[in-house]
PDB file of all heavy atoms in Angstrom:
ATOM      1  N   MET A 748       4.384 -12.832  24.112  1.00 98.00           N
ATOM      2  CA  MET A 748       5.333 -13.815  24.639  1.00 98.00           C
ATOM      3  C   MET A 748       6.747 -13.532  24.132  1.00 98.00           C
ATOM      4  O   MET A 748       7.706 -13.600  24.897  1.00 98.00           O
ATOM      5  CB  MET A 748       4.890 -15.241  24.280  1.00 98.00           C
ATOM      6  CG  MET A 748       3.668 -15.690  25.059  1.00 98.00           C
ATOM      7  SD  MET A 748       3.320 -17.466  24.936  1.00 98.00           S
ATOM      8  CE  MET A 748       2.505 -17.538  23.358  1.00 98.00           C
ATOM      9  N   TRP A 752       9.965 -12.848  26.505  1.00 97.00           N
ATOM     10  CA  TRP A 752      11.227 -13.606  26.445  1.00 97.00           C
ATOM     11  C   TRP A 752      12.406 -12.687  26.129  1.00 97.00           C
ATOM     12  O   TRP A 752      13.467 -12.793  26.747  1.00 97.00           O
ATOM     13  CB  TRP A 752      11.137 -14.704  25.385  1.00 97.00           C
ATOM     14  CG  TRP A 752      10.418 -15.932  25.816  1.00 97.00           C
ATOM     15  CD1 TRP A 752       9.320 -16.485  25.219  1.00 97.00           C
ATOM     16  CD2 TRP A 752      10.731 -16.786  26.923  1.00 97.00           C
ATOM     17  NE1 TRP A 752       8.947 -17.619  25.897  1.00 97.00           N
ATOM     18  CE2 TRP A 752       9.797 -17.826  26.933  1.00 97.00           C
ATOM     19  CE3 TRP A 752      11.728 -16.761  27.910  1.00 97.00           C
ATOM     20  CZ2 TRP A 752       9.812 -18.842  27.897  1.00 97.00           C
ATOM     21  CZ3 TRP A 752      11.745 -17.767  28.868  1.00 97.00           C
ATOM     22  CH2 TRP A 752      10.797 -18.789  28.848  1.00 97.00           C
ATOM     23  N   ALA A 780       1.084 -19.119  30.834  1.00 97.00           N
ATOM     24  CA  ALA A 780       2.135 -19.999  30.299  1.00 97.00           C
ATOM     25  C   ALA A 780       3.514 -19.388  30.518  1.00 97.00           C
ATOM     26  O   ALA A 780       4.463 -20.092  30.882  1.00 97.00           O
ATOM     27  CB  ALA A 780       1.893 -20.264  28.813  1.00 97.00           C
ATOM     28  N   GLU A 783       4.556 -19.610  34.215  1.00 95.00           N
ATOM     29  CA  GLU A 783       5.025 -20.962  34.530  1.00 95.00           C
ATOM     30  C   GLU A 783       6.505 -21.139  34.178  1.00 95.00           C
ATOM     31  O   GLU A 783       7.196 -21.934  34.797  1.00 95.00           O
ATOM     32  CB  GLU A 783       4.214 -22.009  33.762  1.00 95.00           C
ATOM     33  CG  GLU A 783       2.790 -22.158  34.228  1.00 95.00           C
ATOM     34  CD  GLU A 783       1.979 -23.062  33.315  1.00 95.00           C
ATOM     35  OE1 GLU A 783       2.547 -23.654  32.355  1.00 95.00           O
ATOM     36  OE2 GLU A 783       0.767 -23.194  33.555  1.00 95.00           O
ATOM     37  N   LEU A 832       4.339 -18.358  13.019  1.00 93.00           N
ATOM     38  CA  LEU A 832       3.917 -19.078  14.224  1.00 93.00           C
ATOM     39  C   LEU A 832       2.425 -19.378  14.200  1.00 93.00           C
ATOM     40  O   LEU A 832       1.625 -18.519  13.833  1.00 93.00           O
ATOM     41  CB  LEU A 832       4.232 -18.250  15.472  1.00 93.00           C
ATOM     42  CG  LEU A 832       5.692 -17.855  15.683  1.00 93.00           C
ATOM     43  CD1 LEU A 832       5.810 -16.938  16.901  1.00 93.00           C
ATOM     44  CD2 LEU A 832       6.560 -19.086  15.858  1.00 93.00           C
ATOM     45  N   LEU A 833       2.059 -20.576  14.631  1.00 90.00           N
ATOM     46  CA  LEU A 833       0.653 -20.914  14.793  1.00 90.00           C
ATOM     47  C   LEU A 833       0.094 -20.143  15.986  1.00 90.00           C
ATOM     48  O   LEU A 833       0.808 -19.878  16.956  1.00 90.00           O
ATOM     49  CB  LEU A 833       0.494 -22.417  15.008  1.00 90.00           C
ATOM     50  CG  LEU A 833       0.952 -23.301  13.852  1.00 90.00           C
ATOM     51  CD1 LEU A 833       0.818 -24.767  14.221  1.00 90.00           C
ATOM     52  CD2 LEU A 833       0.162 -22.989  12.585  1.00 90.00           C
ATOM     53  N   PRO A 835      -1.749 -19.981  19.258  1.00 94.00           N
ATOM     54  CA  PRO A 835      -2.265 -20.856  20.306  1.00 94.00           C
ATOM     55  C   PRO A 835      -3.665 -20.459  20.765  1.00 94.00           C
ATOM     56  O   PRO A 835      -4.414 -21.292  21.272  1.00 94.00           O
ATOM     57  CB  PRO A 835      -1.246 -20.713  21.436  1.00 94.00           C
ATOM     58  CG  PRO A 835      -0.588 -19.405  21.194  1.00 94.00           C
ATOM     59  CD  PRO A 835      -0.597 -19.212  19.706  1.00 94.00           C
ATOM     60  N   ASP A 844      -5.615 -29.561  27.115  1.00 95.00           N
ATOM     61  CA  ASP A 844      -5.099 -29.592  25.744  1.00 95.00           C
ATOM     62  C   ASP A 844      -4.728 -28.187  25.267  1.00 95.00           C
ATOM     63  O   ASP A 844      -3.701 -27.984  24.616  1.00 95.00           O
ATOM     64  CB  ASP A 844      -6.135 -30.206  24.797  1.00 95.00           C
ATOM     65  CG  ASP A 844      -6.441 -31.657  25.131  1.00 95.00           C
ATOM     66  OD1 ASP A 844      -5.559 -32.354  25.679  1.00 95.00           O
ATOM     67  OD2 ASP A 844      -7.581 -32.093  24.851  1.00 95.00           O
ATOM     68  N   ILE A 845      -5.564 -27.224  25.573  1.00 95.00           N
ATOM     69  CA  ILE A 845      -5.299 -25.835  25.184  1.00 95.00           C
ATOM     70  C   ILE A 845      -4.051 -25.332  25.889  1.00 95.00           C
ATOM     71  O   ILE A 845      -3.186 -24.692  25.273  1.00 95.00           O
ATOM     72  CB  ILE A 845      -6.521 -24.941  25.484  1.00 95.00           C
ATOM     73  CG1 ILE A 845      -7.702 -25.356  24.592  1.00 95.00           C
ATOM     74  CG2 ILE A 845      -6.180 -23.460  25.290  1.00 95.00           C
ATOM     75  CD1 ILE A 845      -9.026 -24.716  24.965  1.00 95.00           C
ATOM     76  N   GLU A 846      -3.908 -25.633  27.170  1.00 95.00           N
ATOM     77  CA  GLU A 846      -2.711 -25.216  27.916  1.00 95.00           C
ATOM     78  C   GLU A 846      -1.457 -25.846  27.326  1.00 95.00           C
ATOM     79  O   GLU A 846      -0.399 -25.206  27.274  1.00 95.00           O
ATOM     80  CB  GLU A 846      -2.872 -25.573  29.391  1.00 95.00           C
ATOM     81  CG  GLU A 846      -3.914 -24.706  30.091  1.00 95.00           C
ATOM     82  CD  GLU A 846      -4.254 -25.179  31.497  1.00 95.00           C
ATOM     83  OE1 GLU A 846      -3.859 -26.302  31.899  1.00 95.00           O
ATOM     84  OE2 GLU A 846      -4.943 -24.403  32.207  1.00 95.00           O
ATOM     85  N   THR A 847      -1.548 -27.076  26.859  1.00 95.00           N
ATOM     86  CA  THR A 847      -0.409 -27.743  26.217  1.00 95.00           C
ATOM     87  C   THR A 847       0.004 -27.003  24.950  1.00 95.00           C
ATOM     88  O   THR A 847       1.197 -26.817  24.681  1.00 95.00           O
ATOM     89  CB  THR A 847      -0.749 -29.219  25.908  1.00 95.00           C
ATOM     90  OG1 THR A 847      -1.001 -29.889  27.150  1.00 95.00           O
ATOM     91  CG2 THR A 847       0.380 -29.907  25.172  1.00 95.00           C
ATOM     92  N   VAL A 848      -0.970 -26.549  24.185  1.00 96.00           N
ATOM     93  CA  VAL A 848      -0.688 -25.784  22.964  1.00 96.00           C
ATOM     94  C   VAL A 848       0.008 -24.471  23.319  1.00 96.00           C
ATOM     95  O   VAL A 848       0.988 -24.075  22.671  1.00 96.00           O
ATOM     96  CB  VAL A 848      -1.975 -25.534  22.149  1.00 96.00           C
ATOM     97  CG1 VAL A 848      -1.730 -24.556  21.009  1.00 96.00           C
ATOM     98  CG2 VAL A 848      -2.533 -26.852  21.629  1.00 96.00           C
ATOM     99  N   PHE A 849      -0.469 -23.795  24.351  1.00 96.00           N
ATOM    100  CA  PHE A 849       0.155 -22.535  24.777  1.00 96.00           C
ATOM    101  C   PHE A 849       1.590 -22.765  25.233  1.00 96.00           C
ATOM    102  O   PHE A 849       2.489 -21.973  24.924  1.00 96.00           O
ATOM    103  CB  PHE A 849      -0.668 -21.856  25.876  1.00 96.00           C
ATOM    104  CG  PHE A 849      -1.695 -20.911  25.337  1.00 96.00           C
ATOM    105  CD1 PHE A 849      -2.942 -21.381  24.939  1.00 96.00           C
ATOM    106  CD2 PHE A 849      -1.423 -19.563  25.195  1.00 96.00           C
ATOM    107  CE1 PHE A 849      -3.903 -20.520  24.426  1.00 96.00           C
ATOM    108  CE2 PHE A 849      -2.373 -18.689  24.686  1.00 96.00           C
ATOM    109  CZ  PHE A 849      -3.619 -19.177  24.297  1.00 96.00           C
ATOM    110  N   ARG A 850       1.833 -23.831  25.966  1.00 96.00           N
ATOM    111  CA  ARG A 850       3.196 -24.126  26.431  1.00 96.00           C
ATOM    112  C   ARG A 850       4.124 -24.439  25.260  1.00 96.00           C
ATOM    113  O   ARG A 850       5.275 -23.999  25.246  1.00 96.00           O
ATOM    114  CB  ARG A 850       3.163 -25.280  27.422  1.00 96.00           C
ATOM    115  CG  ARG A 850       2.539 -24.905  28.743  1.00 96.00           C
ATOM    116  CD  ARG A 850       2.524 -26.083  29.723  1.00 96.00           C
ATOM    117  NE  ARG A 850       1.770 -25.722  30.904  1.00 96.00           N
ATOM    118  CZ  ARG A 850       0.647 -26.338  31.292  1.00 96.00           C
ATOM    119  NH1 ARG A 850       0.164 -27.373  30.608  1.00 96.00           N
ATOM    120  NH2 ARG A 850       0.024 -25.938  32.378  1.00 96.00           N
ATOM    121  N   ALA A 851       3.631 -25.186  24.291  1.00 96.00           N
ATOM    122  CA  ALA A 851       4.449 -25.498  23.117  1.00 96.00           C
ATOM    123  C   ALA A 851       4.788 -24.227  22.343  1.00 96.00           C
ATOM    124  O   ALA A 851       5.932 -24.036  21.903  1.00 96.00           O
ATOM    125  CB  ALA A 851       3.721 -26.503  22.220  1.00 96.00           C
ATOM    126  N   SER A 852       3.814 -23.341  22.198  1.00 96.00           N
ATOM    127  CA  SER A 852       4.046 -22.063  21.526  1.00 96.00           C
ATOM    128  C   SER A 852       5.066 -21.229  22.305  1.00 96.00           C
ATOM    129  O   SER A 852       6.004 -20.670  21.735  1.00 96.00           O
ATOM    130  CB  SER A 852       2.734 -21.302  21.384  1.00 96.00           C
ATOM    131  OG  SER A 852       2.926 -20.094  20.705  1.00 96.00           O
ATOM    132  N   ARG A 853       4.878 -21.178  23.612  1.00 96.00           N
ATOM    133  CA  ARG A 853       5.808 -20.437  24.484  1.00 96.00           C
ATOM    134  C   ARG A 853       7.238 -20.928  24.303  1.00 96.00           C
ATOM    135  O   ARG A 853       8.169 -20.143  24.158  1.00 96.00           O
ATOM    136  CB  ARG A 853       5.369 -20.620  25.937  1.00 96.00           C
ATOM    137  CG  ARG A 853       6.349 -20.086  26.962  1.00 96.00           C
ATOM    138  CD  ARG A 853       6.171 -20.716  28.328  1.00 96.00           C
ATOM    139  NE  ARG A 853       6.495 -22.134  28.323  1.00 96.00           N
ATOM    140  CZ  ARG A 853       6.030 -23.016  29.210  1.00 96.00           C
ATOM    141  NH1 ARG A 853       5.190 -22.643  30.160  1.00 96.00           N
ATOM    142  NH2 ARG A 853       6.387 -24.276  29.146  1.00 96.00           N
ATOM    143  N   ASP A 854       7.418 -22.243  24.283  1.00 96.00           N
ATOM    144  CA  ASP A 854       8.758 -22.812  24.176  1.00 96.00           C
ATOM    145  C   ASP A 854       9.362 -22.589  22.793  1.00 96.00           C
ATOM    146  O   ASP A 854      10.561 -22.313  22.666  1.00 96.00           O
ATOM    147  CB  ASP A 854       8.725 -24.301  24.528  1.00 96.00           C
ATOM    148  CG  ASP A 854       8.350 -24.545  25.986  1.00 96.00           C
ATOM    149  OD1 ASP A 854       8.360 -23.578  26.787  1.00 96.00           O
ATOM    150  OD2 ASP A 854       8.037 -25.706  26.322  1.00 96.00           O
ATOM    151  N   ASP A 855       8.543 -22.675  21.742  1.00 96.00           N
ATOM    152  CA  ASP A 855       9.013 -22.393  20.391  1.00 96.00           C
ATOM    153  C   ASP A 855       9.469 -20.938  20.301  1.00 96.00           C
ATOM    154  O   ASP A 855      10.545 -20.642  19.762  1.00 96.00           O
ATOM    155  CB  ASP A 855       7.888 -22.677  19.389  1.00 96.00           C
ATOM    156  CG  ASP A 855       8.275 -22.375  17.952  1.00 96.00           C
ATOM    157  OD1 ASP A 855       9.466 -22.486  17.594  1.00 96.00           O
ATOM    158  OD2 ASP A 855       7.375 -22.035  17.160  1.00 96.00           O
ATOM    159  N   ILE A 856       8.667 -20.040  20.840  1.00 97.00           N
ATOM    160  CA  ILE A 856       9.018 -18.617  20.802  1.00 97.00           C
ATOM    161  C   ILE A 856      10.290 -18.366  21.607  1.00 97.00           C
ATOM    162  O   ILE A 856      11.173 -17.619  21.179  1.00 97.00           O
ATOM    163  CB  ILE A 856       7.835 -17.751  21.293  1.00 97.00           C
ATOM    164  CG1 ILE A 856       6.678 -17.854  20.290  1.00 97.00           C
ATOM    165  CG2 ILE A 856       8.258 -16.302  21.505  1.00 97.00           C
ATOM    166  CD1 ILE A 856       5.364 -17.276  20.778  1.00 97.00           C
ATOM    167  N   ARG A 857      10.420 -19.005  22.755  1.00 96.00           N
ATOM    168  CA  ARG A 857      11.642 -18.861  23.572  1.00 96.00           C
ATOM    169  C   ARG A 857      12.869 -19.234  22.750  1.00 96.00           C
ATOM    170  O   ARG A 857      13.857 -18.496  22.720  1.00 96.00           O
ATOM    171  CB  ARG A 857      11.548 -19.757  24.803  1.00 96.00           C
ATOM    172  CG  ARG A 857      12.814 -19.741  25.660  1.00 96.00           C
ATOM    173  CD  ARG A 857      12.901 -20.919  26.617  1.00 96.00           C
ATOM    174  NE  ARG A 857      12.890 -22.158  25.852  1.00 96.00           N
ATOM    175  CZ  ARG A 857      12.270 -23.273  26.236  1.00 96.00           C
ATOM    176  NH1 ARG A 857      11.597 -23.327  27.373  1.00 96.00           N
ATOM    177  NH2 ARG A 857      12.315 -24.352  25.483  1.00 96.00           N
ATOM    178  N   ASP A 858      12.817 -20.378  22.080  1.00 95.00           N
ATOM    179  CA  ASP A 858      13.962 -20.832  21.293  1.00 95.00           C
ATOM    180  C   ASP A 858      14.283 -19.868  20.152  1.00 95.00           C
ATOM    181  O   ASP A 858      15.453 -19.580  19.872  1.00 95.00           O
ATOM    182  CB  ASP A 858      13.709 -22.240  20.756  1.00 95.00           C
ATOM    183  CG  ASP A 858      13.619 -23.289  21.858  1.00 95.00           C
ATOM    184  OD1 ASP A 858      14.014 -23.002  23.019  1.00 95.00           O
ATOM    185  OD2 ASP A 858      13.138 -24.402  21.564  1.00 95.00           O
ATOM    186  N   ARG A 859      13.251 -19.351  19.500  1.00 96.00           N
ATOM    187  CA  ARG A 859      13.466 -18.411  18.401  1.00 96.00           C
ATOM    188  C   ARG A 859      14.060 -17.093  18.907  1.00 96.00           C
ATOM    189  O   ARG A 859      14.956 -16.526  18.279  1.00 96.00           O
ATOM    190  CB  ARG A 859      12.147 -18.133  17.672  1.00 96.00           C
ATOM    191  CG  ARG A 859      11.645 -19.310  16.857  1.00 96.00           C
ATOM    192  CD  ARG A 859      10.236 -19.032  16.346  1.00 96.00           C
ATOM    193  NE  ARG A 859       9.654 -20.140  15.648  1.00 96.00           N
ATOM    194  CZ  ARG A 859       9.619 -20.264  14.317  1.00 96.00           C
ATOM    195  NH1 ARG A 859      10.161 -19.331  13.554  1.00 96.00           N
ATOM    196  NH2 ARG A 859       9.046 -21.310  13.767  1.00 96.00           N
TER     197      ARG A 859
END
Side-chain angles (χ1 to χ4, degrees):
M748 289 192 280
W752 280 122
E783 290 172 5
L832 302 175
L833 297 177
D844 297 332
I845 294 170
E846 290 171 349
T847 298
V848 171
F849 270 85
R850 289 180 187 117
S852 182
R853 171 202 66 203
D854 295 347
D855 178 30
I856 293 169
R857 176 198 60 218
D858 294 346
R859 289 171 184 261

